[in-house]
Amino acid sequence: MSGTTGVGNSPARTLGGDPPGGGKAMAVWGIGVAVYFVAITYRTSLGVAGLDAAERFHINASALSTFSILQLLVYAGMQIPVGLLVDRLGAKKVLAIGAVLYTIGQFGFAFSSSYGMALGSRALLGCGDAMTFISVLRLGARWFPARRGPLIAQIAALVGMAGNLVSTLVLARLLHSFGWTPTFAASALGGVVVLVVLLVFLKDHPEGFEPPPAPSGHTGIAFIRRQIADAWREPGTRLGMWIHFTTQFPAMFFLLLWGLPYLVEAQGLSRGTAGELLTLIVLSNMAVGLVYGQVIARHHAARLPLAFGTTAVTAALWALTVFWPAAHAPMPLLIVLCLVLGACGPASMIGFDFARPANPPERQGTASGIVNMGGFTASMTTLLAVGVLLDATGDNYRIAFASVFVLEAIGVSQILRLRRRAVRREQERLVVSRVEAVHVPA
């Protein structure tokens, strides 16, 4: 134990070691996860409304993909600034700003009468969404022991993915029954609720586990540059980013926009059946996330095999489905593809498990932001490529969806390049920390 007990104007007590976790930690952290859950609901709401948006705003495939591309462009571009903000301001303030922004964006989208207004609303939504997940990772690190890190991160992603269920099961039906404006406006009320709850109840850290004050000089442009450069210099950060890049985007772009049109227009399924398959991806994601979290928490060496295995199986099933010789792929194959796509999200979380031990606590937000840029940059690129190729080829999904293999090849080559360096550096750090932990009497 170090520091002094906080009495009157005395400084607050700071305890050494890991935070205790427990029921209070789950409750506080759960508030942050609820903010992230709502953000995912808003992010993926366009996935079930893509055809309705095309009709409402009289736009083609490229213009439709611009909605999600702009949203992800803002999201990816905000990751490093948000990481710096979380390191500087703490999770509560950044989550509050994010909830305000994405709620305004969802309300704006509900009442958009023009394509330009709708684009602006999605950009604002993407900005608010960008502030949620890194903040939730920081809350987990502040409230739970480090050994729980992989499982806590996977559970956060799992609960967030449940927001996809709201989109595919609830919003899709509301949209069909009540129309565009009532559906999106009603969903925006969720943002108001979580904002009030987090302002009243959420705390950045347990009592007695306050982080030390930032040393002098930890402000300004020079510090920001140094913070980013130091995080990027770590091979674990870069490896984490490329794992996130390679594993996340096949499921992300499919769920975010192009899955429903592909299943309806290219595979000849009804909207209801296509929605059920998208729901299957989300359910698979939640189940696989629990398994991956448990495995990685107990066997750290399983991280790379899980990432490579998920990528390989996804690529194989993607090729088999997209290039199936008949006009429509058989339903069992589509079901298996969706089950495997559900593993992409949990596999992308492995990237954070490489960045976390590579960076000190005061740099965790910045490093997480760099990692999180990976998958969303890949998703944004794929959304754009698919939209452009569909317009250029007369809606040939086989050619458009083949763009997935290009990004997977780039990502795998970078993982192979960085993996040995990152693992070696991590092992060296572990040895040093064990030596430093040994108490030698004077």
Side-chain angles (χ1 to χ4, degrees):
M1 184 183 299
S2 60
T4 57
T5 304
V7 179
N9 294 325
S10 300
R13 178 179 61 175
T14 301
L15 303 179
D18 276 348
K24 185 175 181 180
M26 287 296 297
V28 174
W29 174 76
I31 295 171
V33 174
V35 178
Y36 175 57
F37 171 89
V38 174
I40 291 290
T41 303
Y42 294 172
R43 181 199 300 172
T44 58
S45 58
L46 189 61
V48 296
L51 298 177
D52 299 87
E55 182 179 347
R56 179 181 178 87
F57 301 113
H58 309 291
I59 53 179
N60 61 13
S62 295
L64 180 61
S65 66
T66 303
F67 276 124
S68 296
I69 292 166
L70 178 62
Q71 185 179 333
L72 291 187
L73 178 64
V74 173
Y75 186 103
M78 286 292 294
Q79 288 309 293
I80 292 178
V82 167
L84 291 164
L85 282 174
V86 171
D87 287 336
R88 187 69 184 167
L89 302 178
K92 180 174 182 175
K93 291 180 181 178
V94 178
L95 277 172
I97 296 169
V100 169
L101 291 176
Y102 70 50
T103 301
I104 294 173
Q106 189 75 344
F107 270 121
F109 198 57
F111 293 99
S112 293
S113 56
S114 67
Y115 180 59
M117 183 179 176
L119 277 178
S121 298
R122 296 304 286 187
L124 196 61
L125 193 157
C127 187
D129 180 15
M131 298 185 173
T132 58
F133 188 63
I134 295 175
S135 300
V136 171
L137 290 179
R138 167 55 63 90
L139 276 180
R142 291 294 189 199
W143 281 90
F144 294 95
R147 69 181 183 277
R148 299 290 185 190
L151 182 58
I152 289 299
Q154 288 284 3
I155 293 174
L158 180 154
V159 176
M161 281 301 295
N164 257 312
L165 290 178
V166 174
S167 295
T168 56
L169 297 178
V170 179
L171 282 180
R173 287 177 171 80
L174 291 175
L175 193 63
H176 178 72
S177 301
F178 299 103
W180 184 279
T181 298
T183 297
F184 283 104
S187 70
L189 295 175
V192 177
V193 173
V194 295
L195 176 62
V196 172
V197 173
L198 83 87
L199 289 175
V200 175
F201 296 109
L202 192 139
K203 294 183 178 179
D204 278 315
H205 45 71
E207 186 177 353
F209 285 84
E210 294 84 355
S216 59
H218 277 219
T219 56
I221 298 298
F223 168 72
I224 291 173
R225 287 175 179 166
R226 187 166 64 251
Q227 187 88 333
I228 296 171
D230 289 346
W232 179 258
R233 194 175 293 120
E234 291 294 339
T237 304
R238 282 176 282 145
L239 177 62
M241 185 195 74
W242 284 110
I243 288 174
H244 200 269
F245 177 101
T246 309
T247 53
Q248 187 206 42
F249 80 94
M252 175 63 71
F253 98 93
F254 199 78
L255 280 172
L256 203 58
L257 183 61
W258 289 118
L260 187 71
Y262 170 73
L263 294 172
V264 172
E265 296 176 355
Q267 295 298 334
L269 303 180
S270 68
R271 276 199 181 202
T273 303
E276 290 171 358
L277 286 175
L278 295 181
T279 302
L280 184 61
I281 297 176
V282 178
L283 294 174
S284 173
N285 183 295
M286 297 169 73
V288 174
L290 285 176
V291 175
Y292 277 22
Q294 292 281 6
V295 170
I296 294 168
R298 293 173 179 165
H299 309 285
H300 235 40
R303 291 173 298 174
L304 278 173
L306 283 175
F308 278 127
T310 303
T311 302
V313 175
T314 302
L317 281 167
W318 193 265
L320 189 59
T321 304
V322 171
F323 298 112
W324 188 260
H328 299 150
M331 179 57 72
L333 178 57
L334 293 175
I335 291 173
V336 174
L337 174 67
C338 290
L339 288 172
V340 171
L341 285 176
C344 291
S348 72
M349 297 299 298
I350 295 170
F352 296 103
D353 294 323
F354 277 100
R356 192 181 300 114
N359 292 275
E362 64 271 14
R363 213 166 59 216
Q364 289 291 323
T366 306
S368 296
I370 292 172
V371 172
N372 215 24
M373 283 180 63
F376 288 94
T377 301
S379 298
M380 177 180 61
T381 304
T382 309
L383 284 166
L384 175 61
V386 169
V388 171
L389 288 170
L390 285 174
D391 283 339
T393 60
D395 291 339
N396 188 321
Y397 278 94
R398 290 186 175 183
I399 295 176
F401 275 25
S403 59
V404 166
F405 302 115
V406 177
L407 272 74
E408 284 186 326
I410 293 171
V412 168
S413 67
Q414 293 300 314
I415 295 171
L416 291 172
R417 184 176 68 86
L418 290 164
R419 74 189 192 285
R420 286 194 180 91
R421 239 184 306 169
V423 172
R424 184 171 62 249
R425 184 79 174 260
E426 187 176 303
Q427 290 172 342
E428 290 170 354
R429 261 202 191 86
L430 183 60
V431 170
V432 170
S433 66
R434 285 174 175 168
V435 170
E436 289 177 345
V438 175
H439 176 66
V440 180

